[in-house]
Amino acid sequence: MVNLDAEKLVAARRAVEFVEDGQVVGLGTGSTAAHAIREIGRRVREGLQIVAIPTSLATEALARSLGIPLTNFDEHQKIDIAIDGADEIDSNLVAIKGGGGAFLREKIVAQAATRMICIIDSSKLVPQIGAAKLPIEVLPFAAGFVQAAVAAMGAQVSLRRKADGSLFATDQGNAVLDARFGLLSNPEALARKLTSIPGLLAHGLFLSEIDELITGRGDQAECLRRSA
Ligand code: 5RP
């Protein structure tokens, strides 16, 4: 039986090897990113000099607890290296992210990063994305309107709720819709249509933001670069 958490750790450790003194580092959200953040924390305690921009309040709290110096986009508008997980990704490095609900900030950090490394366990590398639900962040005022518009595009859409049944809210206080379109033959066209819906603030499709993929497979880290 594959130990997916061990594979996440393998991928995270390899990615953190690329972090260097003096860099601004983007910190992702989720269990795989948390492995990387703990590894960065270990290196900071050993003397690594970096500042980091977290993609969520949870990541900010973890980074603070590990003594990682934090910064923000008022201080630094460019990120040298960002490390984050994904829910599904294909070999063209097109991904679905946002299982943890942090995808709006994750997309900003990914786009600001010169080098965006996605780290995953081997179960997340798929021939075609779309089995995972596609998260969509919406202005609460527009949630019903956006849900109807996305459903009219052929998806099964639900408003994300927490385990206790209350509505999930992002760190920005917005709602999240989870959409199931099935396997995506044209993610670019879907992204364009989604972006045109007013009230829709972000979707979890990452088309071009990811530069490199590191997959933990057993105890090996497999690296894949976006082709030019
Ligand atoms: C959070 C994300 C995560 O990177 C994604 O959900 C993967 O999470 P995990 O590493 O816990 O499997 O996009 O918004």
Side-chain angles (χ1 to χ4, degrees):
M1 176 123 167
V2 182
N3 183 339
L4 297 178
D5 195 57
E7 291 188 343
K8 291 177 185 192
L9 181 59
V10 167
R13 283 191 172 146
R14 173 59 64 85
V16 173
E17 286 173 14
F18 297 115
V19 177
E20 294 171 5
D21 274 336
Q23 286 186 326
V24 179
V25 180
L27 302 176
T29 295
S31 58
T32 321
H35 280 307
I37 295 162
R38 284 190 287 270
E39 186 66 9
I40 290 170
R42 188 188 62 72
R43 287 192 57 200
V44 164
R45 286 193 295 282
E46 289 175 0
L48 177 72
Q49 305 254 337
I50 55 140
V51 289
I53 299 186
T55 51
S56 64
L57 298 179
T59 288
E60 179 179 338
L62 177 60
R64 276 192 203 287
S65 75
L66 295 165
I68 299 173
L70 296 177
T71 185
N72 55 46
F73 281 115
D74 296 332
E75 303 290 332
H76 294 92
Q77 293 76 47
K78 286 200 170 159
I79 291 177
D80 296 296
I81 183 168
I83 302 174
D84 201 353
D87 298 303
E88 268 189 340
I89 186 164
D90 68 20
S91 57
N92 294 316
L93 310 194
V94 175
I96 290 180
K97 284 183 51 52
F103 52 107
L104 173 51
R105 293 190 194 197
E106 289 171 340
K107 200 173 273 192
I108 297 165
V109 164
Q111 209 152 93
T114 305
R115 186 177 185 185
M116 159 55 178
I117 305 179
C118 180
I119 51 175
I120 56 164
D121 64 67
S122 60
S123 71
K124 294 180 172 176
L125 180 57
V126 295
Q128 201 173 0
I129 61 168
K133 55 196 181 190
L134 177 66
I136 292 168
E137 181 158 345
V138 292
L139 199 66
F141 170 79
F145 170 76
V146 177
Q147 182 165 2
V150 176
M153 290 166 62
Q156 288 187 332
V157 197
S158 56
L159 203 50
R160 189 179 293 188
R161 292 184 181 275
K162 297 194 274 194
D164 65 5
S166 61
L167 278 187
F168 174 89
T170 65
D171 287 349
Q172 298 73 241
N174 295 314
V176 171
L177 298 172
D178 287 309
R180 288 191 184 278
F181 285 93
L183 294 183
L184 302 179
S185 52
N186 193 343
E188 292 78 11
L190 176 60
R192 272 196 302 277
K193 278 192 200 163
L194 289 172
T195 309
S196 72
I197 302 172
L200 188 154
L201 303 172
H203 56 73
L205 280 170
F206 281 53
L207 302 174
S208 59
E209 291 86 352
I210 296 168
D211 302 302
E212 290 167 56
L213 173 66
I214 301 182
T215 305
R217 193 176 299 283
D219 60 1
Q220 301 296 310
E222 295 176 356
C223 303
L224 194 60
R225 285 218 173 127
R226 177 175 293 280
S227 41

